[in-house]
Structures are given as structure tokens and as C-alpha cells.
Amino acid sequence: HLMRGRAAATMRVRKARPQTTVEEIGEEWQRMFPSRKGVPITGVENDTVYAEIHITCPHRGTGNVEGCYRMMEYDRKMLEDIGGQFVVLRSQAEPGVEVCQVARRKADVPVDDLVPAHVRARRGDSEPSAMD
């Protein structure tokens, strides 16, 4: 609840607006941050906008990918309100990872092919399949 509340406050302050295309959704999410350099968009493929999160995470290197998942409720809340979905593909909580890799899609586009980092870590997979 805390992370969703913080996201809602950020969105009020930054005047977030619902968007219609996946590119606009990615750009609107990026605009919610103090610096776009900290959350660069790295590519757009089909219905997916890929980005990285360079902002240092308190879970970095801890192996606590489940904690990362709970903390990223902030981003999921933002994406819900602007018309999208948010999936962490690679988490800074994973040992040796310094940059999160994330994906965004429109709310009505399936994300079944995107394997979230916390699910992948539970299975013991080392590489995110959606980035192959």
C-alpha cells in the first residue's frame, strides 16, 4: 500500500495522464522520474517498450528479488494509471546486476511471454528470456 500511495502522489505532482500508444506509455512513465537519464528507454519492439533503471536500488546485490517485486509496485501502479503494464525482467537484487531491465506494454496486451525476474529467480534461470 505504501508504494502504491507514493506512486499516486508522484503522479499527482507530475500530472500524469493516460496514454494510448505503447511508446507514449513508455515516455510518460519515464517523465515521472527526476531524470530521464536514470531510466533510459533502450528499445521498442512490436508491442513492448524496454528500458533500464540505473537508479541504485536498496535491494542491489542482496538476492532479495521478491523484495524488489514488492517495491516495484510503485511502477506497476504508475503504469496502471497511464494505461500500461510493467514487468521487471532483470533485477538489481540479483547478484552482479547493476541495472534493472524492464518492459512495458499496453494494459490490453498479454505479457505471458515476459518472465518477471522474481519468477525466473525462483526457477533458477540466469537469463531473462524476453531479452534474448
Side-chain angles (χ1 to χ4, degrees), residues 37-38 52-69 71-72 90-101:
K37 286 182 177 181
E52 295 177 341
I53 300 176
H54 291 252
I55 301 162
T56 302
C57 173
H59 291 291
R60 183 180 277 183
T62 64
N64 186 0
V65 183
E66 295 289 338
C68 166
Y69 176 79
M71 190 171 77
M72 297 307 266
R90 178 168 287 267
S91 169
Q92 290 182 41
E94 297 174 71
V97 176
E98 295 188 7
V99 175
C100 292
Q101 295 172 341

Side-chain angles (χ1 to χ4, degrees), residues 19-129:
Q19 302 298 315
T20 55
T21 71
V22 70
E23 292 86 359
E24 291 169 338
I25 289 167
E27 290 171 7
E28 186 72 352
W29 169 83
Q30 189 184 44
R31 192 178 69 77
M32 296 299 105
F33 290 86
S35 168
R36 292 176 189 225
K37 286 182 177 181
V39 289
I41 292 173
T42 58
V44 179
E45 292 181 28
N46 303 321
D47 296 329
T48 308
V49 173
Y50 295 99
E52 295 177 341
I53 300 176
H54 291 252
I55 301 162
T56 302
C57 173
H59 291 291
R60 183 180 277 183
T62 64
N64 186 0
V65 183
E66 295 289 338
C68 166
Y69 176 79
R70 288 187 300 277
M71 190 171 77
M72 297 307 266
E73 189 64 28
Y74 178 91
D75 295 87
R76 286 189 297 278
K77 166 65 174 159
M78 283 197 287
L79 266 289
E80 282 175 18
D81 288 0
I82 60 176
Q85 302 176 75
F86 181 87
V87 178
V88 176
L89 301 172
R90 178 168 287 267
S91 169
Q92 290 182 41
E94 297 174 71
V97 176
E98 295 188 7
V99 175
C100 292
Q101 295 172 341
V102 299
R104 279 81 42 94
R105 288 191 177 155
K106 290 176 58 174
D108 60 349
V109 175
V111 294
D112 301 351
D113 61 314
L114 301 175
V115 180
H118 70 287
V119 172
R120 185 175 40 76
R122 264 190 243 132
R123 292 192 319 214
D125 297 345
S126 61
E127 293 296 321
S129 61

